[in-house]
Amino acid sequence: MLLPVAFFAVFFAWPVVSIVGRGLRPDGRHWELGRFGETLTRPDILDVLWFTLWQALASTALTLLVALPGAYVLARFDFPGKRILRAVVTVPFVLPTVMVGTAFLALVGRRGLLDELWGVRLDTGVWAILLAHVFFNYAVVVRTVGGLWSQLDPRQEEAARVLGASRWRAWRTVTLPALGPAVAAAALMVFLFTASSFGIVQILGGPAYSTLETEIYRQTADRLQLSTAAVLTMVQFAAVGTILAVHARTVRRRETALRLVPPERTARRPCGAGQWALLGAVLLSIALLIVAPLGVLVERSLATPSGYGLDYFRALGHVDGTGTFLVPLTDTVVNSLQYALAATGIAVLVGGLAAAALTRRAGRLVRGFDALLMLPLGVSAVTVGFGFLITLDEPPLDLRASWILVPLAQALVGVPFVVRTMLPVLRAVDERLREAAAVLGASPWRAWREVDLPLVRRALLIAAGFAFAVSLGEFGATVFVARPDNPTLPVAVARLLNRPGELNYGQAMALSTILMVVCAVSLLLLERLRTDRTSGEF
Amino acid sequence: MNTTKAAAAALVAALGVTTLAACGTDDARDAAGKSGGPAPKTVTLVSHDSFNASKEVLAEFTRQTGFTVRVLKSGDAGEAVNKEILTKGAPQGDVFFGVDNTLLSRALDNGIFVPYEAKGLDRIPAALRLDKEQHRVTPVDSGDICVNYDKKYFADKKLAPPQTFDDLAKPAYKDLLVVENPERSSPGLGFLLGTAAKYGDGGTSQGEASGGGWQDYWKKLKANGVKTVDSWELAYNQEFSGSAGGKKAKGDRPLVVSYASSPPVEVLYSEPQPKVAPTGVSTGTCFRQTEFAGLLNGAKNPEGGKALIDFLISKTFQDDMPLQMFVNPVTNDATLPELFTKHGVVIDKPETMAPEKIAEKREQWIGQWTSLVLK
């Protein structure tokens, strides 16, 4: 418990509190709380708040609408390639938003796929943002709702049918209530992610749209208006806190109430025209929404002026003679892997300890800490990054220029995923097993090794894998941390895109493709480790 | 507490802090060696993400002075300057490079630099030395923000490409130009300042702008179908039809706000390199940007920092710079690479503006621009 609390306090709470304090107490003594009223009545700020709220609501609704059928199909139907498909839909979730934006413009932009097929051109604007959010968060719904759906005992619904209920009624009275909390939890997570969306709104929204997150960035990084940023950060805190509190409640309800069966027993081959049509529709929507944009990136990485080829990939291996980077770009892959490994180590250590502590104690304080650990997901990366600058500036903690800051920032985002994956599994371990071991004379350490470890090993691996994938693609926090010049993959992609020239563009696409493949492979490995008890909450 | 402790120990062991240590040792030793120690042999240069220098040139500095340069990239230009303001007195490094004339006053007013008169300053034209009395900053490079055009588009249409700000507002060029949001992008801001320098400030103090000046000009541009996006990357790689990225993305705007050095770069990063650059520069639409370096207030290694500033305006560094950062050298003994002389253009009369005026008007103009163009 001590380590996670210390980690959280030093690398999250302290920096955030300091930077907010700097904004609200400019002279270092007097709190200027009047700033709240002043800021929150400005028409432009009200516009931002309103847009943040409604686009997040709309994105959430649209994501549920599109992804719930997908969750059903992936949970209940058995068909070849299902594992790959499940990994594929998760790839966007761990991709950096720079790439998601680029990939998405290829689909909905001018003469993108939609334009060529039906003359639909969304370019930039609200629709592009909403669709990109669906693309991004599809996996959240599939994993949260689908994970549970695949374990609901179908016999309950069948029993209702036997007793004379119509198919619809049976579904509505038996399955829906069981799924309800999972749907609510998924909706809240999607809402949280879309309300704090940064890169997508920046790239696809165009200059006319601003969310709370992009506004905090603008006020902090562009204008150095720390007081306005501080007020907005507090608003964000309050909102995220509320969402997390509601989320925690729905999750707790879900954990206690259901009787679950292994997914292999619920999935069957689709039968009948209706089910095949549903499967087809879901596959089509996945193909259009997720595979197509990713495919365009791959296509562009291969399209050289002299026809399709691997030229751009080969170019990555050379030291760039003109010095865009001082190292071959393949080194950025190695850098990324090292950072991600370090971040995973930290995230698993901190998250694992937190999960272990949360299993053993159930006081209100501990539950509060549970919610607190989720906060980094919803709090602006620029706030944390600038907070690092003014807090970690004295030895022994002058880490501002150290490589460790990057994995630390990434781990902040990874920890919540580890906790969420481990917690349900750890809670499911029967306390009596531990007691029995203790009675038979095992030391607590031995009891843990003999009882808990075998049971949670897989969950641990899955948590590690997920933290790894998220760290690999993490971009938000890393860009706000000043770093010695050994760029990670997403940073290198962004930098290449910042230069004119065909070779730079092609290499950016090639690096994106590599990142995508590395993410997909780690996710596929995870799929192989999935078991009935390890669906977790993501 | 016992069980928690045991769990902790087990997790540490089981979960491979080993991997953490294994992949970190080199770096860790490196970082420890560099940040501590009594006599720092390292000098830290803080800059924006676009900073580049070739390895040999940095090695040459080490050979000459005994100091090793460590480069710390701190975000885009505005962000990097703001970070220095925030950490004033306890900076992340010794020298900051990359504050330009649009942000210079903010940096100077906040006192993030201490005076240092660089050796060889007399080789830099007086017009570029903006802090002549106090020498808090030293000019290192300059570049011009200009409209670029897609040569093929205008050749196909048998239309002369626009050359001046006035041209851009003419009906012949309707719906062709894409610009960046001045609030979020430095070329966008440069272009706005260029129009303000050209047409003057005719706006009233707040809100609705009227009465001539750049505001009127932008009204015409808006009526002529100018498109605005947030970043240079989007404008150039997605919207502009002349760039390699824009061609792939099927961009349909043949005019974009970019740099005078973009055409040579377009050539440099093509394989095979074309004989003629695919893009050209509208020479009457340019705004000059100069970038400065300064010794940071509170630097841990001021001696190394001074040596580094001297080096930044040395011939070795100035000659290397154009192909690294695609900017022009400022010293009069530097030689431009062939790529620049062949495919680039020299802008004779760019628009300019004093940093104090920019500092004074910046926020107000951006606000007026936003309500004029975006709303």
Side-chain angles (χ1 to χ4, degrees), chain B residues 144-146 165 194 260 281-288 347 349-351:
Chain B
D144 296 297
I145 291 162
C146 310
F165 284 117
V281 173
S282 305
T283 51
T285 61
C286 299
F287 179 78
R288 179 145 299 172
I347 308 300
K349 289 195 187 111
E351 303 294 340

Side-chain angles (χ1 to χ4, degrees), chain B residues 324-340:
Chain B
Q324 299 298 332
M325 293 185 267
F326 312 110
V327 288
N328 294 312
V330 289
T331 54
N332 47 32
D333 56 350
T335 28
L336 267 181
E338 197 200 340
L339 190 80
F340 270 55

Side-chain angles (χ1 to χ4, degrees), chain B residues 38-181:
Chain B
K41 295 299 278 177
T42 305
V43 53
T44 304
L45 174 71
V46 187
S47 188
H48 49 58
D49 289 342
S50 314
F51 177 84
N52 275 308
S54 58
K55 228 174 198 162
E56 306 82 67
V57 164
L58 294 182
E60 173 65 20
F61 174 72
T62 308
R63 209 183 54 73
Q64 283 175 12
T65 65
F67 294 112
T68 315
V69 185
R70 186 167 58 133
V71 178
L72 213 56
K73 300 197 177 184
S74 193
D76 66 35
E79 190 184 323
V81 172
N82 286 342
K83 282 183 181 170
E84 287 315 312
I85 293 173
L86 207 59
T87 56
K88 181 185 151 188
Q92 305 181 80
D94 305 305
V95 173
F96 182 82
F97 162 75
V99 57
D100 67 15
N101 44 328
T102 67
L103 287 165
L104 186 61
S105 282
R106 187 190 283 179
L108 293 181
D109 292 348
N110 276 285
I112 62 172
F113 296 121
V114 290
Y116 171 66
E117 190 173 347
K119 293 191 183 75
L121 203 59
D122 50 334
R123 287 146 53 238
I124 300 171
L128 293 177
R129 284 182 278 166
L130 290 180
D131 192 38
K132 276 193 218 66
E133 286 79 36
Q134 299 189 50
H135 299 296
R136 287 166 296 184
V137 288
T138 307
V140 173
D141 68 74
S142 80
D144 296 297
I145 291 162
C146 310
V147 168
N148 283 21
Y149 57 85
D150 175 1
K151 283 183 181 164
K152 185 171 180 301
Y153 175 91
F154 289 101
D156 288 352
K157 293 263 167 189
K158 298 194 168 52
L159 180 68
Q163 287 305 333
T164 64
F165 284 117
D166 280 340
D167 286 351
L168 296 174
K170 288 180 182 161
Y173 306 108
K174 192 168 168 57
D175 295 336
L176 302 188
L177 176 65
V178 57
V179 303
E180 298 89 0
N181 183 354

Side-chain angles (χ1 to χ4, degrees), chain B residues 228-245:
Chain B
T228 312
V229 294
D230 253 356
S231 67
W232 175 89
E233 184 271 316
L234 274 181
Y236 195 84
N237 282 331
Q238 291 283 343
E239 305 289 339
F240 181 45
S241 61
S243 68

Side-chain angles (χ1 to χ4, degrees), chain A residues 110 218 221 324 348 445 503, chain B residues 10 15 82 183 239 269 363:
Chain A
R110 148 191 4 92
R218 204 154 64 113
T324 305
V348 167
W445 154 237
L503 203 57
Chain B
L15 268 176
N82 286 342
E183 177 150 32
E239 305 289 339
Y269 287 105
E363 293 298 313

